[in-house]
Amino acid sequence: MSLSSRFGSMCISSTSKSLISSSTTGIRSFQYINKYAGVASSSSSCLFNTSFSVNNNNSSNNIDTTFKRTIISLPHEISLNNLRDNPGANKKKIRLGRGIGSGKGKTSGRGHGGQKARAGHNIPRGFEGGQTPLFKRMRKYGFSNARFARVLNPLNLDRLSRLIDDGLINPNETITMKHLYDVNAVGKIKFGIKLLASGEETFKHKINIELSDFSENARKTIESLGGSASNVYYDRVGLRFLLKPEKFDFTPKRARVPLKLKEKYPNHPTGYLGAYSTDGSPPAPKESTTESA
């Protein structure tokens, strides 16, 4: 016997509440349909398609009962059967200290004591327990203007006075860095020479000297004896030509003074054979005379 032959395929409307009962097989099924859960459809469509079937086997007393239910709904339709949170909206909370089987029992995953097991601990990033951290043990990298600094060779007045007393330098002529280089007064010269005032009490020579720089006391000492101290600027090529002219088969142009050193070298000659000054202005043109017929 089959209930499908008796009830057929039942279509339950969304606007009604139905109670389906099967007393033949002793199985009672209740289907409660909310009137707000349905969708507006034609008479040929329904929200639930429910069918019952009972098969009796004459050879045995076993009864095979099949119950099938199909929920039909339109795509993107909101109804009671598809109302739920977004995936991941409700995350299950981890319960701590609830036994070994949970995996988070006893110490609750914090280990056996220590600073990290306490509440409110804050260990700085890179902290190594008081040991000098790695980022402080490594050298610093990056750009720096220190490699471009002009480091001048120092020369004291007592050293210069001793060279004059020994006859290695003639005080009657203008003393340049070439004279000091020839007598090995300061060794290798890379950017220039700066005269310092150590030994100003014993310095008694009247001289005219041209160097890269002077200390304030050294300049006052020389000028107080009637001499002169002049600042001269040379770049690497110009300084090499001054110290070793035999290395060149031409006369290089004098380099212009950098803007940050312009006040230290006022009206400094620049260009080929000093054709320009520090401010970059060319020399005044010469007046040409024409013979009148």
PDB file of all heavy atoms in Angstrom, residues 129-147:
ATOM      1  N   GLY A 129      66.748  40.613  27.056  1.00  0.00           N
ATOM      2  CA  GLY A 129      66.989  40.331  28.458  1.00  0.00           C
ATOM      3  C   GLY A 129      68.095  41.147  29.080  1.00  0.00           C
ATOM      4  O   GLY A 129      68.673  40.742  30.093  1.00  0.00           O
ATOM      5  N   GLY A 130      68.418  42.289  28.573  1.00  0.00           N
ATOM      6  CA  GLY A 130      69.494  43.111  29.103  1.00  0.00           C
ATOM      7  C   GLY A 130      70.765  43.030  28.281  1.00  0.00           C
ATOM      8  O   GLY A 130      71.627  43.905  28.372  1.00  0.00           O
ATOM      9  N   GLN A 131      70.898  41.984  27.485  1.00  0.00           N
ATOM     10  CA  GLN A 131      72.050  41.884  26.578  1.00  0.00           C
ATOM     11  C   GLN A 131      71.917  42.925  25.475  1.00  0.00           C
ATOM     12  O   GLN A 131      70.812  43.275  25.067  1.00  0.00           O
ATOM     13  CB  GLN A 131      72.091  40.471  25.990  1.00  0.00           C
ATOM     14  CG  GLN A 131      73.134  40.277  24.905  1.00  0.00           C
ATOM     15  CD  GLN A 131      73.108  38.866  24.365  1.00  0.00           C
ATOM     16  OE1 GLN A 131      73.556  37.938  25.017  1.00  0.00           O
ATOM     17  NE2 GLN A 131      72.562  38.703  23.182  1.00  0.00           N
ATOM     18  N   THR A 132      73.045  43.427  25.004  1.00  0.00           N
ATOM     19  CA  THR A 132      73.007  44.416  23.927  1.00  0.00           C
ATOM     20  C   THR A 132      72.298  43.820  22.727  1.00  0.00           C
ATOM     21  O   THR A 132      72.734  42.812  22.185  1.00  0.00           O
ATOM     22  CB  THR A 132      74.433  44.840  23.530  1.00  0.00           C
ATOM     23  OG1 THR A 132      75.113  45.341  24.675  1.00  0.00           O
ATOM     24  CG2 THR A 132      74.382  45.922  22.449  1.00  0.00           C
ATOM     25  N   PRO A 133      71.192  44.420  22.292  1.00  0.00           N
ATOM     26  CA  PRO A 133      70.416  43.817  21.206  1.00  0.00           C
ATOM     27  C   PRO A 133      71.182  43.838  19.886  1.00  0.00           C
ATOM     28  O   PRO A 133      72.165  44.558  19.715  1.00  0.00           O
ATOM     29  CB  PRO A 133      69.156  44.687  21.143  1.00  0.00           C
ATOM     30  CG  PRO A 133      69.544  45.976  21.782  1.00  0.00           C
ATOM     31  CD  PRO A 133      70.568  45.639  22.818  1.00  0.00           C
ATOM     32  N   LEU A 134      70.682  43.058  18.963  1.00  0.00           N
ATOM     33  CA  LEU A 134      71.375  42.874  17.693  1.00  0.00           C
ATOM     34  C   LEU A 134      71.464  44.172  16.908  1.00  0.00           C
ATOM     35  O   LEU A 134      72.499  44.470  16.309  1.00  0.00           O
ATOM     36  CB  LEU A 134      70.650  41.801  16.861  1.00  0.00           C
ATOM     37  CG  LEU A 134      71.233  41.521  15.476  1.00  0.00           C
ATOM     38  CD1 LEU A 134      72.640  40.950  15.600  1.00  0.00           C
ATOM     39  CD2 LEU A 134      70.335  40.554  14.720  1.00  0.00           C
ATOM     40  N   PHE A 135      70.390  44.967  16.927  1.00  0.00           N
ATOM     41  CA  PHE A 135      70.407  46.181  16.109  1.00  0.00           C
ATOM     42  C   PHE A 135      71.390  47.219  16.655  1.00  0.00           C
ATOM     43  O   PHE A 135      71.770  48.150  15.940  1.00  0.00           O
ATOM     44  CB  PHE A 135      68.996  46.786  16.021  1.00  0.00           C
ATOM     45  CG  PHE A 135      68.499  47.415  17.286  1.00  0.00           C
ATOM     46  CD1 PHE A 135      68.688  48.763  17.537  1.00  0.00           C
ATOM     47  CD2 PHE A 135      67.840  46.662  18.228  1.00  0.00           C
ATOM     48  CE1 PHE A 135      68.225  49.342  18.697  1.00  0.00           C
ATOM     49  CE2 PHE A 135      67.360  47.231  19.393  1.00  0.00           C
ATOM     50  CZ  PHE A 135      67.560  48.575  19.625  1.00  0.00           C
ATOM     51  N   LYS A 136      71.812  47.075  17.935  1.00  0.00           N
ATOM     52  CA  LYS A 136      72.836  47.963  18.473  1.00  0.00           C
ATOM     53  C   LYS A 136      74.238  47.400  18.290  1.00  0.00           C
ATOM     54  O   LYS A 136      75.209  48.152  18.327  1.00  0.00           O
ATOM     55  CB  LYS A 136      72.578  48.225  19.956  1.00  0.00           C
ATOM     56  CG  LYS A 136      71.380  49.114  20.221  1.00  0.00           C
ATOM     57  CD  LYS A 136      71.278  49.486  21.691  1.00  0.00           C
ATOM     58  CE  LYS A 136      70.097  50.425  21.942  1.00  0.00           C
ATOM     59  NZ  LYS A 136      70.012  50.818  23.362  1.00  0.00           N
ATOM     60  N   ARG A 137      74.322  46.090  18.101  1.00  0.00           N
ATOM     61  CA  ARG A 137      75.634  45.490  17.859  1.00  0.00           C
ATOM     62  C   ARG A 137      76.097  45.677  16.417  1.00  0.00           C
ATOM     63  O   ARG A 137      77.289  45.596  16.126  1.00  0.00           O
ATOM     64  CB  ARG A 137      75.586  43.991  18.180  1.00  0.00           C
ATOM     65  CG  ARG A 137      75.327  43.670  19.639  1.00  0.00           C
ATOM     66  CD  ARG A 137      75.700  42.243  19.960  1.00  0.00           C
ATOM     67  NE  ARG A 137      74.949  41.285  19.195  1.00  0.00           N
ATOM     68  CZ  ARG A 137      73.818  40.716  19.583  1.00  0.00           C
ATOM     69  NH1 ARG A 137      73.296  41.050  20.759  1.00  0.00           N
ATOM     70  NH2 ARG A 137      73.214  39.807  18.840  1.00  0.00           N
ATOM     71  N   MET A 138      75.162  45.915  15.521  1.00  0.00           N
ATOM     72  CA  MET A 138      75.512  46.105  14.115  1.00  0.00           C
ATOM     73  C   MET A 138      75.914  47.554  13.859  1.00  0.00           C
ATOM     74  O   MET A 138      75.485  48.470  14.567  1.00  0.00           O
ATOM     75  CB  MET A 138      74.327  45.733  13.232  1.00  0.00           C
ATOM     76  CG  MET A 138      73.860  44.281  13.390  1.00  0.00           C
ATOM     77  SD  MET A 138      75.095  43.104  12.825  1.00  0.00           S
ATOM     78  CE  MET A 138      75.004  43.419  11.072  1.00  0.00           C
ATOM     79  N   ARG A 139      76.726  47.761  12.861  1.00  0.00           N
ATOM     80  CA  ARG A 139      77.134  49.113  12.499  1.00  0.00           C
ATOM     81  C   ARG A 139      75.990  49.848  11.813  1.00  0.00           C
ATOM     82  O   ARG A 139      75.018  49.242  11.355  1.00  0.00           O
ATOM     83  CB  ARG A 139      78.341  49.081  11.562  1.00  0.00           C
ATOM     84  CG  ARG A 139      78.108  48.316  10.263  1.00  0.00           C
ATOM     85  CD  ARG A 139      79.050  48.734   9.182  1.00  0.00           C
ATOM     86  NE  ARG A 139      78.727  50.054   8.708  1.00  0.00           N
ATOM     87  CZ  ARG A 139      79.301  50.618   7.640  1.00  0.00           C
ATOM     88  NH1 ARG A 139      80.235  49.973   6.971  1.00  0.00           N
ATOM     89  NH2 ARG A 139      78.970  51.821   7.269  1.00  0.00           N
ATOM     90  N   LYS A 140      76.098  51.145  11.750  1.00  0.00           N
ATOM     91  CA  LYS A 140      75.073  51.965  11.121  1.00  0.00           C
ATOM     92  C   LYS A 140      75.339  52.060   9.623  1.00  0.00           C
ATOM     93  O   LYS A 140      76.481  52.197   9.193  1.00  0.00           O
ATOM     94  CB  LYS A 140      75.053  53.373  11.725  1.00  0.00           C
ATOM     95  CG  LYS A 140      74.623  53.414  13.177  1.00  0.00           C
ATOM     96  CD  LYS A 140      74.580  54.846  13.674  1.00  0.00           C
ATOM     97  CE  LYS A 140      74.134  54.908  15.129  1.00  0.00           C
ATOM     98  NZ  LYS A 140      74.104  56.297  15.628  1.00  0.00           N
ATOM     99  N   TYR A 141      74.272  51.987   8.855  1.00  0.00           N
ATOM    100  CA  TYR A 141      74.362  52.105   7.413  1.00  0.00           C
ATOM    101  C   TYR A 141      73.548  53.307   6.963  1.00  0.00           C
ATOM    102  O   TYR A 141      72.585  53.697   7.608  1.00  0.00           O
ATOM    103  CB  TYR A 141      73.832  50.836   6.725  1.00  0.00           C
ATOM    104  CG  TYR A 141      74.713  49.624   6.920  1.00  0.00           C
ATOM    105  CD1 TYR A 141      74.540  48.790   8.013  1.00  0.00           C
ATOM    106  CD2 TYR A 141      75.718  49.325   6.023  1.00  0.00           C
ATOM    107  CE1 TYR A 141      75.338  47.680   8.208  1.00  0.00           C
ATOM    108  CE2 TYR A 141      76.525  48.220   6.195  1.00  0.00           C
ATOM    109  CZ  TYR A 141      76.331  47.391   7.282  1.00  0.00           C
ATOM    110  OH  TYR A 141      77.130  46.309   7.459  1.00  0.00           O
ATOM    111  N   GLY A 142      73.945  53.872   5.856  1.00  0.00           N
ATOM    112  CA  GLY A 142      73.211  55.003   5.312  1.00  0.00           C
ATOM    113  C   GLY A 142      74.147  56.112   4.859  1.00  0.00           C
ATOM    114  O   GLY A 142      75.369  56.032   4.992  1.00  0.00           O
ATOM    115  N   PHE A 143      73.568  57.159   4.321  1.00  0.00           N
ATOM    116  CA  PHE A 143      74.343  58.262   3.766  1.00  0.00           C
ATOM    117  C   PHE A 143      74.767  59.223   4.870  1.00  0.00           C
ATOM    118  O   PHE A 143      74.029  59.463   5.817  1.00  0.00           O
ATOM    119  CB  PHE A 143      73.509  59.020   2.725  1.00  0.00           C
ATOM    120  CG  PHE A 143      74.211  60.215   2.160  1.00  0.00           C
ATOM    121  CD1 PHE A 143      75.175  60.080   1.190  1.00  0.00           C
ATOM    122  CD2 PHE A 143      73.910  61.480   2.630  1.00  0.00           C
ATOM    123  CE1 PHE A 143      75.828  61.181   0.673  1.00  0.00           C
ATOM    124  CE2 PHE A 143      74.549  62.587   2.120  1.00  0.00           C
ATOM    125  CZ  PHE A 143      75.518  62.430   1.138  1.00  0.00           C
ATOM    126  N   SER A 144      75.967  59.740   4.746  1.00  0.00           N
ATOM    127  CA  SER A 144      76.480  60.726   5.691  1.00  0.00           C
ATOM    128  C   SER A 144      77.459  61.633   4.956  1.00  0.00           C
ATOM    129  O   SER A 144      78.234  61.175   4.106  1.00  0.00           O
ATOM    130  CB  SER A 144      77.184  60.048   6.873  1.00  0.00           C
ATOM    131  OG  SER A 144      77.774  61.015   7.709  1.00  0.00           O
ATOM    132  N   ASN A 145      77.409  62.921   5.291  1.00  0.00           N
ATOM    133  CA  ASN A 145      78.323  63.878   4.678  1.00  0.00           C
ATOM    134  C   ASN A 145      79.699  63.868   5.335  1.00  0.00           C
ATOM    135  O   ASN A 145      80.579  64.619   4.919  1.00  0.00           O
ATOM    136  CB  ASN A 145      77.743  65.292   4.764  1.00  0.00           C
ATOM    137  CG  ASN A 145      76.671  65.530   3.720  1.00  0.00           C
ATOM    138  OD1 ASN A 145      76.810  65.102   2.579  1.00  0.00           O
ATOM    139  ND2 ASN A 145      75.600  66.191   4.106  1.00  0.00           N
ATOM    140  N   ALA A 146      79.886  63.043   6.356  1.00  0.00           N
ATOM    141  CA  ALA A 146      81.169  63.021   7.046  1.00  0.00           C
ATOM    142  C   ALA A 146      82.304  62.578   6.122  1.00  0.00           C
ATOM    143  O   ALA A 146      83.443  63.025   6.271  1.00  0.00           O
ATOM    144  CB  ALA A 146      81.086  62.096   8.257  1.00  0.00           C
ATOM    145  N   ARG A 147      81.990  61.727   5.151  1.00  0.00           N
ATOM    146  CA  ARG A 147      83.035  61.256   4.247  1.00  0.00           C
ATOM    147  C   ARG A 147      83.508  62.348   3.288  1.00  0.00           C
ATOM    148  O   ARG A 147      84.562  62.217   2.669  1.00  0.00           O
ATOM    149  CB  ARG A 147      82.518  60.064   3.439  1.00  0.00           C
ATOM    150  CG  ARG A 147      81.279  60.352   2.648  1.00  0.00           C
ATOM    151  CD  ARG A 147      80.795  59.137   1.888  1.00  0.00           C
ATOM    152  NE  ARG A 147      81.777  58.681   0.927  1.00  0.00           N
ATOM    153  CZ  ARG A 147      81.535  57.725   0.028  1.00  0.00           C
ATOM    154  NH1 ARG A 147      80.355  57.127   0.016  1.00  0.00           N
ATOM    155  NH2 ARG A 147      82.456  57.369  -0.829  1.00  0.00           N
TER     156      ARG A 147
END
